């Protein structure tokens, strides 16, 4: 047991650094994904066949291909584009990574998450009884006002818990970005593996941290959900 | 006030309305009866374009609401509608349910809108429920609030789509009472209902719809006591 406490006292701080980056990465992904996801959800719900089509195709492609492939394409794609443009990016560090790497990985993760969030939001809006829209329209509210004052406030109650779950999913899936060298929790584990020649301890440590993150988040969500039910 | 010319409505291959022609005059209470599937509700829902007619024309207060350039939101302010399932907004209090449209659509100041709302709540006998939420109300109370909500826009005509069909029997009376009051005050009303007693007592004119057309129309006495069509007799013998 001496080995473990020594291991933790030496490397835990390093793991925590990675954890912070994982949280930041996931947070920005869900935040941006919520904006773009809303956009795609509205496209899918719109009357325009073209917009519907674009949104459907996007969602199907993203959901039908592995995240790791998307990450590779985006990550190296963005780097390639920047290189081809002949512009040298300033070397700025954000969240333990250089700016371009961090931003391209957030973009890659967001593109992925957008598809899932769009479906969450579409589902939330469609779960509201048709009669609500009809009642609002019959009172003279136009479509936009009806959405804003009647449909969305009710849909939010269905959407927020699902969005919380998406956050949890993104935290777990973000481990994949360590393969392109983004410094986050999983990457910390690999680095510690390399320096200590231990295989399992770093992995178990990372797994424990992921679990604590997702478990406490889901407990937190449960509390929030119960609160919202009370105000119903 | 409302003129309907050659109204057709199809859902896919099913033609629900097969040419409805009629004219509802100001101050008149028109009661629409008929077997289920006869197109009564569809007819009513076409009047404020909740259903888009496939063919035909509807003219409301001199304006063709079926023409492409028309902004239907303007006429909907003048046409109140009451639904079978009440459709109160569950996330808003009774007061906010009633004042939402006046404030947002007509830009009436909040205090003024609430004053109107309280007057209407008094009229439907639910003044003490202003701060309640819909799920705390009984079906009959919900429907009376829904009527107050529609009246808050001071409509010229009220459309009722089977307003008592989703109610427990003991609550039907309180809703019909409010509707009778409304009729007495001279409100123009189009009421789709299965309440034959209401049709007889309050209706100025009764439409009997069957298979997508108005089969027979006339005063309640004419339709109920001396029906001309065999189909009407058949229907009435089943419901009376």
């Amino acid at each position: 047991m001496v080995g473990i406490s020594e291991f933790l006292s030496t490397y835990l701080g390093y793991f925590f650094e990675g954890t912070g980056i994982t949280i930041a990465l996931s947070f920005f992904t869900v935040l941006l994904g919520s904006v773009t996801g809303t956009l795609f959800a509205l496209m899918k719900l719109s009357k325009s066949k073209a917009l519907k089509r674009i949104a459907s195709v996007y969602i199907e492609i993203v959901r039908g291909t592995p995240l790791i492939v998307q990450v590779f394409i985006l990550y190296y794609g963005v780097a390639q584009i920047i290189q081809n443009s002949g512009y040298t990016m300033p070397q700025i560090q954000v969240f333990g990574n250089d700016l371009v790497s961090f931003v391209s990985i957030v973009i890659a993760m967001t593109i992925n998450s957008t598809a899932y969030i769009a479906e969450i939001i579409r589902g939330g809006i469609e779960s509201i009884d048709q009669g609500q829209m009809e009642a609002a329209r019959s009172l003279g509210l136009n479509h936009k006002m009806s959405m804003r004052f009647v449909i969305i406030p009710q849909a939010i109650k269905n959407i927020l818990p699902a969005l919380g779950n998406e956050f949890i999913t993104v935290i777990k899936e973000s481990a994949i970005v360590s393969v392109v060298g983004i410094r986050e929790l999983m990457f910390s584990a690999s680095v510690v593996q390399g320096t200590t020649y231990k295989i399992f301890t770093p992995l178990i440590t990372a797994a424990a941290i992921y679990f604590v993150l997702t478990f406490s988040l889901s407990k937190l969500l449960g509390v929030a959900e119960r609160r919202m039910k009370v105000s119903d | 006030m409302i003129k309907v010319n050659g109204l057709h409505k199809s859902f896919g291959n099913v033609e629900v309305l097969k040419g409805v022609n009629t004219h509802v005059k100001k101050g008149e209470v028109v009661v629409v009866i008929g077997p289920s599937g006869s197109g009564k509700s569809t007819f009513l829902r076409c009047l404020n374009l909740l259903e888009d007619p496939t063919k035909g024309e509807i003219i409301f207060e001199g304006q063709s609401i079926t023409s492409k350039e028309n902004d239907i939101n303007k006429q909907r302010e003048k046409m109140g509608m009451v639904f079978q399932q009440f459709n109160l907004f569950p996330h808003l209090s009774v007061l906010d349910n009633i004042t939402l449209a006046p404030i947002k659509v007509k830009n009436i100041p909040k205090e003024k809108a609430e004053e109107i709302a309280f007057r209407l709540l008094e009229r439907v006998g639910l003044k003490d429920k202003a701060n309640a939420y819909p799920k705390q109300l009984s079906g009959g109370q919900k429907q009376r609030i829904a009527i107050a909500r529609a009246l808050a826009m001071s409509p010229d005509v009220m459309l009722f789509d089977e307003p008592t069909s989703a109610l427990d029997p003991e609550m039907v009376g309180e809703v019909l009472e409010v509707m009778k009051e409304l009729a007495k005050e001279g409100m123009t009303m189009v009421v789709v209902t299965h309440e034959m007693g209401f049709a007889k007592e309050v209706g100025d004119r009764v439409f009997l719809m069957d298979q997508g057309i108005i089969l027979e129309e006339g005063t309640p006495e004419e339709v109920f006591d001396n029906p001309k069509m065999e189909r009407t007799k058949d229907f009435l013998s089943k419901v009376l």
Side-chain angles (χ1 to χ4, degrees), chain B residues 128-198:
Chain B
D128 55 323
K129 299 290 184 194
N131 294 312
Y133 279 82
K135 73 161 187 184
Q136 299 167 309
L137 305 174
S138 72
Q141 291 172 332
K142 279 184 198 163
Q143 197 59 299
R144 286 187 280 157
I145 299 295
I147 293 172
R149 178 175 71 179
L151 289 175
M153 293 296 283
S154 27
D156 295 340
V157 58
M158 286 283 282
L159 311 175
F160 291 86
D161 188 5
E162 302 198 26
T164 58
S165 296
L167 295 176
D168 290 337
E170 75 265 29
M171 291 170 182
V172 171
E174 61 191 70
V175 172
L176 290 182
E177 212 44 57
V178 171
M179 292 168 63
K180 280 177 202 166
E181 282 294 314
L182 211 51
K184 239 184 263 165
E185 287 160 23
M187 174 64 77
T188 313
M189 292 161 67
V190 183
V191 186
V192 171
T193 187
H194 293 291
E195 294 292 328
M196 297 304 150
F198 177 85

Side-chain angles (χ1 to χ4, degrees), chain A residues 128-143 145-146 148-154 157 229-232, chain B residues 45 48 50-51 72-73 76-77 79-81 83 85-92 97 100-101 104-105 133 135 149-150 153:
Chain A
I128 304 304
D129 180 46
Q130 187 75 42
Q132 293 289 311
M133 180 55 99
E134 289 182 355
R137 298 304 305 271
S138 79
L139 287 165
L141 277 79
N142 59 32
H143 184 84
M145 287 165 121
S146 306
R148 180 162 160 216
F149 299 117
V150 176
I151 306 297
I152 304 278
Q154 296 182 60
K157 285 188 182 176
K229 281 230 174 76
V230 172
S231 75
D232 250 355
Chain B
R45 290 160 58 83
N48 65 352
L50 281 186
E51 301 293 353
I72 186 62
N73 294 316
R76 281 181 178 151
E77 290 178 31
M79 300 172 122
M81 186 161 201
F83 300 84
Q85 298 298 339
F86 328 126
N87 295 342
L88 292 181
F89 307 134
H91 62 301
L92 298 178
N97 260 280
L100 177 71
K104 301 298 180 196
V105 178
Y133 279 82
K135 73 161 187 184
R149 178 175 71 179
M153 293 296 283

